[in-house]
Amino acid sequence: MSNTQVLPEKARIAIIGGGIIGTSVAYHLAKRGIKDVVLIERKQLTCGTTWHAAGLVSLLWPTPTLTNLAKYSHELYAGLEAETGQATGYKRIGSISLARTQARLEEIKRTSSMAKVFGVESEMIDNTRLAQLYPGINTEGIIGALYTPDDGQTNPIDTTMALAKGARMNGVEIFENTAMEELIVKDNLVTGIRTDKGVMEVDQVILCGGMWTRDLAKTVGVQLPIYTCEHQYIVTEEMEGLTPRPVLRDYDQGLYFKEDAGKMLVGWFEDNAIGMPMSKIADDFCFGQFPLDQDHVEPYVMSSMDVFPQLETTGIRTWFNGPESFTNDNLHLLGPTSEVDKLFIAAGMNSKGIGAGGGVGKIMADWMIDGFPSGDVTECDLRRHHPAQQHDEYVAERIPEALGHTYAMHWPFYQYETARDQLHSPLHQVLKEAGACFGEVCGYERANWFANPGQEAKYEYSYQKSNWFNNNQQEHMAMREGVGLYDMSSFGKFEVTGADAAKNLQHICSGNIDIPVGKVVYTHFLNARGGIEADVTIVRTGQTTYWVITGISSHSRDWWHLNHRLTHDVLLQDVSMNYGAMALQGPSARDVLSKVTTEDLSNEAFPFATGKLMEVSGIKMWVQRLSYVGELGWELFVPAQHTVAVYRALFAAGEAFGMRNVGMHAVNSARMEKGFVHWGHDVGPEDNLFQAGLSWAAKPSASSFIGIDSFKEQLAAKGTDRRLVQFKLDDKDAMLFHNEPIVMNGEIVGYLTSGMYGHAVGSAIGMGYVNAPNISTISLSKATFEIEIALKRYSAQASLQGFYDPKGLRPKA
């Protein structure tokens, strides 16, 4: 574009960044009729990381969300040239994923099963077929391969230019060679941008600046877990007889191969990636690259020759090393920021920017226009991160490991090893001494299971029964048959105080919040569409005071919702770190607790779903009678400095009852036996209360809560064609984790959102949404269900209730 362009004084939306993501957002905004849009690019379109991308457009990714984004990208790219006249180089060439171990074979079979849910064709092939599809490959050591015939590739620069042209055709202005100088923020609201071409007033801003996004966001107090790493590949000289062929991925060696006009591009995702702070990237960086550390990449180059021997006699035309931005969990950062209103982020593509670019652009355009995303992007919502995961030291240490995880095994229950010990429970050390094996969620170290004497507290990853399977069984059954205690200090605890606290919360929550002091309510925040934005417990601790209790993974998101819904005359405080918390659960819980308190714990004096301020072992604390595992139990919220003392007192009292420490894995398996949902897995913004079987929790007669109109419409519909269903395998040895397809009468009708082994019911259990008309207990009883695991189908029982204590009598015993 010409440098004579004049920046408008005002625009509805400013897009910062002219790569595949920024131009895709611009294109989709324009397609929705929003023409008052300006895109700002510091240098030239594609000059950051887009231009050197491999251009792979894969249909299958490790999660349903990423798969949906990629599927839309395919559909978009296929028609861009016809629409805009700009060639994109898009073609469907297929892809092949190799397995060299039994574990990898299981993983790619599971991927193939999940593909069926989304209508993506794939097939397992043997080495004879592999050699036909990929002439010249060395098949030694390969025990299986997955072929996806409709995978594609595109030219990243041409595709970006097509999106930009489509945006311009519909009114978007694009300013290249325009440097961003300032995001203008007033009262936590973005109001404009300052560039070297002037100031522009805006209603909304979206940062799509790739690796530059972190530093720009930081200028207005927004911390993002993005970090740049070196990403390297080679391009060979032309190779004699190299015919067009599918993209090849050798996950076990960290390699990918792409034929391109008779040359071979070979790239890799190493497990010891080199981080690159922004101080190493010049301010005028444009179509740049960095020196290649040949010693670092030599093992991958040598391995590539083993996979494709023709490389041994072929010269290398290009040794490429360029910067690319990654996140701490290999998932994108999408959505509005918690700190600044009307500021959106679409960054952290983790080498999936081309494949996801079309879908991300549509999602973000719809989100900015409608106020909500046009699809489930919960796992990519940037508000999933805790502040502990956003500081510079954390991202510099964690994200190079996350890059390597791109092609590493995606084990169930996998735990990252770097940047650990960000947040500790008051009980951390005492649980460690008790044999805890810790896992991390949102930077918080939690005891997931407990090693027995002589056993190392360490994961050995597997798709079969794990090395901690028996430990989990012991902890699980302790809660079912005796008594167990688990640490729930990681839970978010928000205090809402003020004369209008009840009125405010009544509008935000779908349940009845105007309750007596001491009453505990399980409730949900809904959006205007009736979707579930939060799944929380609320307790009235005083006439004008409430606690909102939520899981650590929802901490930042729920804090954002409360901050944006509560009025100014209500005080909101995060008291999460002020209190330790423990759950005492099991048939003997009353016997144990009665030994350390003088309070009457009978049903009459202390009913289920109530709480009170009381003394336990001489310490004043809040205690409430609840259970997430479906047993008689109490939750104790203890001032942090006294948590260890109370823990020891409880264990001394519980010794006579065989009390055990319980980890979060056992909590998860127990809650699933009961059919209790987990927000972010089983329920989210795209799911409503009727679909999730939770409509009983809403009380529309109590108030006009957010989403009440949609709730009433759903109520009037008298049924739903999508329903959360519980499953129990007939096979006692098969394992479920999540994402396994649900098969009803021979047809795939959904996939599991959660899966675990149910020790009290004697087999693996799961839950997931069945898409079928008028699901009811009667219709379930007439249908035949199977769950597909790694291409093999297992018969299953289906129920609208949990398989353990379906009448819910045990917690009220």
Side-chain angles (χ1 to χ4, degrees):
M1 296 298 293
S2 167
N3 283 330
T4 61
Q5 280 182 290
V6 177
L7 195 71
E9 292 183 1
K10 188 179 189 312
R12 175 170 171 177
I13 295 173
I15 302 168
I16 313 303
I20 188 78
I21 303 301
T23 54
S24 181
V25 173
Y27 171 88
H28 285 94
L29 286 170
K31 295 292 282 187
R32 286 283 308 267
I34 309 300
K35 303 179 185 299
D36 190 10
V37 177
V38 172
L39 185 151
I40 303 295
E41 166 52 48
R42 54 187 285 279
K43 291 293 183 181
Q44 295 170 251
L45 296 182
T46 80
C47 76
T49 57
T50 296
W51 72 276
H52 64 71
L56 307 184
V57 192
S58 304
L59 279 166
L60 291 181
W61 292 105
T63 71
T65 293
L66 298 182
T67 298
N68 277 327
L69 294 178
K71 191 175 181 183
Y72 175 83
S73 295
H74 270 274
E75 296 165 359
L76 174 66
Y77 299 162
L80 266 182
E81 183 173 350
E83 177 187 347
T84 65
Q86 165 71 51
T88 62
Y90 173 80
K91 54 187 176 182
R92 289 186 181 259
I93 55 171
S95 74
I96 301 171
S97 300
L98 306 181
R100 296 180 180 274
T101 67
Q102 288 298 327
R104 182 71 71 178
L105 186 61
E106 168 101 357
E107 180 174 275
I108 64 174
K109 284 182 177 180
R110 284 174 172 266
T111 300
S112 183
S113 282
M114 190 180 76
K116 298 177 183 178
V117 176
F118 301 97
V120 176
E121 180 185 348
S122 68
E123 62 174 309
M124 297 300 300
I125 58 175
D126 61 19
N127 284 355
T128 300
R129 175 76 168 132
L130 172 60
Q132 293 171 349
L133 289 168
Y134 213 91
I137 190 173
N138 175 16
T139 59
E140 184 179 353
I142 297 170
I143 62 173
L146 175 64
Y147 176 45
T148 309
D150 290 334
D151 266 5
Q153 70 179 49
T154 196
N155 183 301
I157 293 179
D158 290 346
T159 303
T160 302
M161 292 306 180
L163 290 167
K165 186 174 182 181
R168 288 191 183 105
M169 287 166 57
N170 287 285
V172 172
E173 288 192 82
I174 296 178
F175 286 75
E176 294 183 270
N177 297 302
T178 302
M180 268 292 296
E181 295 179 345
E182 182 186 6
L183 286 167
I184 302 171
V185 174
K186 295 180 180 178
D187 298 324
N188 297 321
L189 173 71
V190 66
T191 60
I193 62 170
R194 184 187 309 280
T195 76
D196 61 355
K197 289 185 179 174
V199 175
M200 184 173 69
E201 184 182 343
V202 296
D203 296 329
Q204 295 173 300
V205 175
I206 181 167
L207 303 184
C208 308
M211 58 188 172
W212 286 275
T213 302
R214 177 174 170 82
D215 284 353
L216 184 53
K218 195 186 289 188
T219 64
V220 292
V222 177
Q223 296 280 349
L224 300 171
I226 300 176
Y227 193 67
T228 303
C229 294
E230 295 184 4
H231 187 55
Q232 301 155 74
Y233 59 75
I234 59 173
V235 181
T236 69
E237 301 286 355
E238 288 193 19
M239 301 178 73
E240 184 177 350
L242 186 64
T243 54
R245 60 195 57 212
V247 170
L248 180 72
R249 295 183 178 87
D250 190 340
Y251 291 119
D252 293 310
Q253 302 201 71
L255 298 167
Y256 62 89
F257 302 76
K258 185 186 85 164
E259 181 277 330
D260 191 1
K263 299 181 288 293
M264 185 71 83
L265 183 152
V266 183
W268 45 84
F269 292 94
E270 65 269 44
D271 58 10
N272 56 341
I274 300 173
M276 180 179 289
M278 293 302 291
S279 60
K280 291 179 63 176
I281 300 172
D283 291 341
D284 61 352
F285 182 92
C286 181
F287 297 111
Q289 55 181 297
F290 301 92
L292 194 76
D293 182 342
Q294 293 202 20
D295 290 339
H296 182 75
V297 304
E298 183 180 9
Y300 295 93
V301 177
M302 298 302 292
S303 294
S304 72
M305 295 177 183
D306 180 59
V307 177
F308 194 64
Q310 191 177 346
L311 291 170
E312 295 179 12
T313 57
T314 304
I316 296 176
R317 174 178 292 185
T318 303
W319 292 82
F320 180 81
N321 181 15
E324 195 152 348
S325 60
F326 292 82
T327 66
N328 61 323
D329 56 7
N330 255 323
L331 295 168
H332 312 318
L333 296 178
L334 307 178
T337 69
S338 300
E339 299 85 351
V340 179
D341 286 345
K342 305 300 182 183
L343 177 63
F344 288 76
I345 306 292
M349 293 297 114
N350 305 290
S351 276
K352 303 179 184 72
I354 306 303
V360 167
K362 183 180 191 311
I363 285 278
M364 295 311 302
D366 292 341
W367 204 336
M368 298 181 80
I369 295 168
D370 301 327
F372 56 90
S374 51
D376 181 10
V377 290
T378 303
E379 67 181 5
C380 294
D381 190 321
L382 64 90
R383 293 166 294 180
R384 70 188 181 272
H385 290 110
H386 191 280
Q389 298 173 283
Q390 297 166 345
H391 60 82
D392 291 349
E393 294 79 8
Y394 174 88
V395 298
E397 186 179 350
R398 166 59 60 82
I399 290 176
E401 182 190 0
L403 181 155
H405 196 55
T406 304
Y407 275 13
M409 286 291 301
H410 297 93
W411 293 114
F413 312 107
Y414 176 79
Q415 301 296 326
Y416 282 101
E417 296 179 359
T418 57
R420 295 292 295 267
D421 296 307
Q422 299 296 312
L423 295 170
H424 279 180
S425 159
L427 293 174
H428 183 84
Q429 187 57 38
V430 72
L431 295 180
K432 183 177 181 180
E433 293 167 0
C437 183
F438 291 97
E440 177 227 352
V441 178
C442 294
Y444 205 109
E445 297 291 327
R446 307 196 306 176
N448 278 346
W449 58 276
F450 287 83
N452 290 320
Q455 179 185 13
E456 186 179 7
K458 183 179 180 180
Y459 282 94
E460 295 174 13
Y461 298 114
S462 173
Y463 276 110
Q464 310 310 315
K465 292 181 178 178
S466 63
N467 67 307
W468 46 268
F469 182 86
N470 291 335
N471 305 70
N472 190 66
Q473 180 182 38
Q474 291 160 4
E475 296 165 26
H476 184 117
M477 296 311 295
M479 294 187 293
R480 292 287 184 245
E481 298 173 346
V483 62
L485 182 144
Y486 65 87
D487 180 17
M488 53 181 290
S489 301
S490 64
F491 278 55
K493 312 162 198 74
F494 307 135
E495 188 171 76
V496 181
T497 307
D500 287 338
K503 179 181 176 182
N504 271 251
L505 287 172
Q506 194 70 78
H507 180 59
I508 296 170
C509 302
S510 59
N512 181 18
I513 305 305
D514 195 4
I515 48 178
V517 173
K519 182 65 178 171
V520 184
V521 175
Y522 170 63
T523 189
H524 306 89
F525 304 167
L526 303 184
N527 54 41
R529 308 174 318 282
I532 303 170
E533 293 287 347
D535 178 272
V536 299
T537 298
I538 293 185
V539 56
R540 192 168 199 166
T541 58
Q543 197 58 41
T544 59
T545 305
Y546 290 81
W547 269 23
V548 179
I549 303 167
T550 188
I552 181 66
S553 59
S554 307
H555 177 281
S556 294
R557 205 173 185 283
D558 293 352
W559 175 256
W560 182 90
H561 273 280
L562 288 168
N563 262 311
H564 284 72
R565 303 289 187 273
L566 294 171
T567 56
H568 293 296
D569 54 350
V570 174
L571 177 64
L572 173 65
Q573 298 182 86
D574 184 352
V575 297
S576 301
M577 301 303 288
N578 297 353
Y579 295 88
M582 294 170 281
L584 185 69
Q585 302 288 318
S588 299
R590 181 181 283 116
D591 297 323
V592 174
L593 189 55
S594 66
K595 286 182 171 293
V596 289
T597 185
T598 58
E599 290 285 337
D600 186 348
L601 303 178
S602 66
N603 285 326
E604 296 73 24
F606 207 145
F608 181 76
T610 65
K612 63 178 69 175
L613 196 63
M614 59 185 256
E615 284 193 5
V616 175
S617 189
I619 307 296
K620 186 169 286 189
M621 67 188 71
W622 183 265
V623 179
Q624 56 194 33
R625 186 175 166 191
L626 279 185
S627 180
Y628 189 45
V629 299
E631 297 293 346
L632 173 67
W634 281 265
E635 298 174 349
L636 296 78
F637 295 85
V638 191
Q641 67 272 26
H642 298 304
T643 310
V644 170
V646 175
Y647 167 89
R648 287 184 168 142
L650 286 169
F651 255 86
E655 184 177 0
F657 302 94
M659 190 163 87
R660 290 186 69 104
N661 282 302
V662 171
M664 298 310 295
H665 289 333
V667 174
N668 190 40
S669 59
R671 68 94 183 169
M672 289 185 59
E673 285 185 334
K674 282 292 297 172
F676 292 161
V677 301
H678 184 291
W679 193 93
H681 286 200
D682 312 308
V683 294
E686 296 299 308
D687 311 308
N688 67 51
L689 295 175
F690 291 90
Q691 294 168 342
L694 296 171
S695 58
W696 57 267
K699 300 294 184 282
S701 60
S703 74
S704 181
F705 53 79
I706 297 169
I708 191 169
D709 291 340
S710 293
F711 178 85
K712 288 181 176 178
E713 288 175 11
Q714 293 154 7
L715 177 64
K718 298 186 185 302
T720 174
D721 292 340
R722 182 173 181 267
R723 186 68 164 80
L724 189 65
V725 177
Q726 317 297 318
F727 296 95
K728 176 177 176 288
L729 294 186
D730 293 324
D731 188 302
K732 305 297 183 184
D733 295 317
M735 299 295 289
L736 296 173
F737 301 107
H738 67 283
N739 289 349
E740 295 90 349
I742 301 167
V743 183
M744 179 180 180
N745 297 331
E747 299 292 327
I748 291 177
V749 292
Y751 61 92
L752 297 186
T753 53
S754 288
M756 202 77 177
Y757 200 89
H759 293 286
V761 298
S763 66
I765 50 176
M767 63 178 75
Y769 289 92
V770 169
N771 297 284
N774 302 315
I775 290 292
S776 67
T777 300
I778 295 175
S779 65
L780 290 181
S781 67
K782 294 180 179 179
T784 299
F785 282 95
E786 298 168 294
I787 305 297
E788 183 168 308
I789 306 172
L791 300 176
K792 182 179 179 182
R793 294 184 176 181
Y794 295 79
S795 63
Q797 301 171 40
S799 173
L800 293 178
Q801 296 176 302
F803 288 96
Y804 180 82
D805 186 29
K807 294 184 178 180
L809 301 179
R810 293 178 69 88
K812 301 174 183 178

